[in-house]
Amino acid sequence: MTGESSYQTAAPAPAQDNQDNDIFIAVMGPTGSGKTTFINTTTGSRLAVGHRLRSETKDVALATFDYRGHRIYLLDTPGFDDTHVSDTDILKRIANWLEYAHSKGKLLNGLLYLHRITDVRVGGMSGRNMRLFHKLCGKDAMNNVILCTTMWDKEEVATAELREKELLSEFWNSMVEEGATWARHDKTRESTFKILDHILGLPPIMLDIQVSLAEGKTLSETEAGKEINRELVALQEKYNKDLADIRQELEDARKDNDLKTQMLMEKEKQLLEAKLAARLQEQKRLADSMAEEIEKLKHEMANRPTGGCVVL
């Protein structure tokens, strides 16, 4: 593929009425990939922007504006690498909103997945974000996905183009093969409007996670939930192994009457036990029913303030 995007600008659908012309777009991606900046520059909102490793987007925030006779709703979502919120809780928050919207007859028209072109390597947290995004959407929703690179102004063009080619051939290839398109966002209105015009030509779709929840599955039984659960199980196995090693070292220190080592090992043991307990709680929350949280969200939305931005 060559050029700045893999799609052609689609003509927007003709206006019907305000409700029929609502367009919902989820903006997703790792912390710091430019999600909130994209939304603020597009809508004129004032959502908090994080310039450090700490994530500013802990909940799903909704910003609205009018474009080509449509009411556009942009969902600012937390990344699956939040510094203070677990992946389980992030998935629950996103799933809660999607379930609430579905109950009101609203589905997403498009999903933007943002990725910094300045990232030298793709892996670790960035790779996990991609996998969870893919699982959350599912194959049937890929036609409504735009994989969007950001921060082109912070990198040499030749270097950025090489990274873009690597993304498409090694990391995004399966999503592109399933129908996802790709684009560059360079903070210009032109690049924003190209993306919006493309989405205006797309029908609303249900994501894989919405289909699964509608079938009565718990969050842990969805593909995205299974992915998180696999990681939780792997962490628990690691913590249990580390705990066994520490208990052995603690026992040896007691036999040698080594008080300093005993204190250090006891502290390490307590930290690992706390981490293990937290992962077990995550697994429980992943398997819990979402009905109560959905009802709470419905109440909050019914009493929300009017305006261009609401945090859910």
Side-chain angles (χ1 to χ4, degrees):
M1 295 180 179
T2 58
E4 297 182 358
S5 69
S6 62
Y7 58 74
Q8 297 179 346
T9 300
Q16 301 290 327
D17 57 59
N18 288 340
Q19 188 171 3
D20 289 342
N21 283 315
D22 287 348
I23 300 292
F24 288 86
I25 304 169
V27 184
M28 307 185 76
T31 299
S33 58
K35 299 187 296 291
T36 304
T37 298
F38 175 89
I39 290 174
N40 285 345
T41 56
T42 302
T43 67
S45 299
R46 292 293 181 268
L47 303 178
V49 179
H51 294 292
R52 298 176 184 172
L53 291 177
R54 184 172 66 87
S55 172
E56 294 288 353
T57 310
K58 295 184 176 63
D59 295 283
V60 176
L62 192 68
T64 64
F65 68 107
D66 293 320
Y67 178 70
R68 294 187 184 271
H70 295 267
R71 188 65 171 169
I72 309 290
Y73 295 81
L74 295 179
L75 281 67
D76 192 10
T77 64
F80 289 105
D81 55 356
D82 195 280
T83 45
H84 299 292
V85 185
S86 71
D87 286 350
T88 294
D89 291 328
I90 288 170
L91 183 62
K92 285 179 75 74
R93 292 175 189 187
I94 294 172
N96 283 341
W97 193 93
L98 291 170
E99 277 295 275
Y100 165 78
H102 186 208
S103 73
K104 297 297 182 181
K106 300 296 182 183
L107 298 174
L108 292 176
N109 298 79
L111 298 99
L112 295 182
Y113 183 86
L114 272 53
H115 176 86
R116 296 179 295 262
I117 201 65
T118 53
D119 285 0
V120 177
R121 302 176 69 179
V122 179
M125 290 293 187
S126 181
R128 288 178 65 254
N129 264 282
M130 290 180 193
R131 288 196 304 275
L132 285 168
F133 173 77
H134 196 179
K135 298 285 187 183
L136 184 144
C137 295
K139 180 179 179 180
D140 292 340
M142 281 297 118
N143 284 334
N144 292 62
V145 167
I146 299 177
L147 305 168
C148 186
T149 47
T150 61
M151 303 188 184
W152 282 79
D153 58 322
K154 298 182 184 298
E155 188 57 270
E156 294 288 336
V157 173
T159 301
E161 288 178 343
L162 284 174
R163 289 184 186 148
E164 180 183 59
K165 190 174 294 184
E166 182 184 32
L167 282 169
L168 290 167
S169 63
E170 297 183 26
F171 299 99
W172 289 352
N173 54 317
S174 60
M175 288 190 279
V176 171
E177 287 170 2
E178 291 171 357
T181 52
W182 56 275
R184 301 175 187 174
H185 187 259
D186 56 11
K187 296 184 181 177
T188 65
R189 290 168 64 85
E190 182 183 11
S191 65
T192 298
F193 293 156
K194 281 183 179 180
I195 291 169
L196 292 177
D197 287 343
H198 175 71
I199 292 174
L200 291 185
L202 299 174
I205 40 84
M206 282 186 72
L207 307 186
D208 183 82
I209 194 169
Q210 289 175 296
V211 173
S212 295
L213 293 173
E215 292 172 348
K217 294 180 180 178
T218 64
L219 198 56
S220 63
E221 294 171 323
T222 67
E223 291 304 312
K226 289 176 183 177
E227 181 70 19
I228 289 178
N229 194 58
R230 277 192 290 271
E231 295 175 359
L232 290 174
V233 169
L235 280 174
Q236 288 170 37
E237 291 175 352
K238 180 182 183 302
Y239 293 156
N240 279 319
K241 182 180 182 301
D242 291 345
L243 273 170
D245 293 340
I246 286 175
R247 290 187 183 111
Q248 184 59 56
E249 290 186 49
L250 187 56
E251 181 63 27
D252 293 342
R254 284 170 180 158
K255 288 178 181 178
D256 296 336
N257 201 27
D258 186 344
L259 297 180
K260 183 178 180 180
T261 300
Q262 284 183 57
M263 290 177 63
L264 289 172
M265 290 299 100
E266 190 61 47
K267 186 175 181 179
E268 285 292 318
K269 177 172 166 288
Q270 291 173 3
L271 287 171
L272 275 172
E273 286 174 342
K275 287 182 178 181
L276 181 59
R279 300 296 83 77
L280 289 169
Q281 277 298 114
E282 273 194 67
Q283 273 191 311
K284 182 180 181 301
R285 291 197 303 276
L286 201 58
D288 284 345
S289 169
M290 293 167 52
E292 184 176 338
E293 293 178 38
I294 295 295
E295 288 304 314
K296 180 182 177 183
L297 180 56
K298 286 180 180 178
H299 176 76
E300 290 175 358
M301 290 298 289
N303 295 282
R304 74 188 187 280
T306 57
C309 172
V310 59
V311 176
L312 310 180

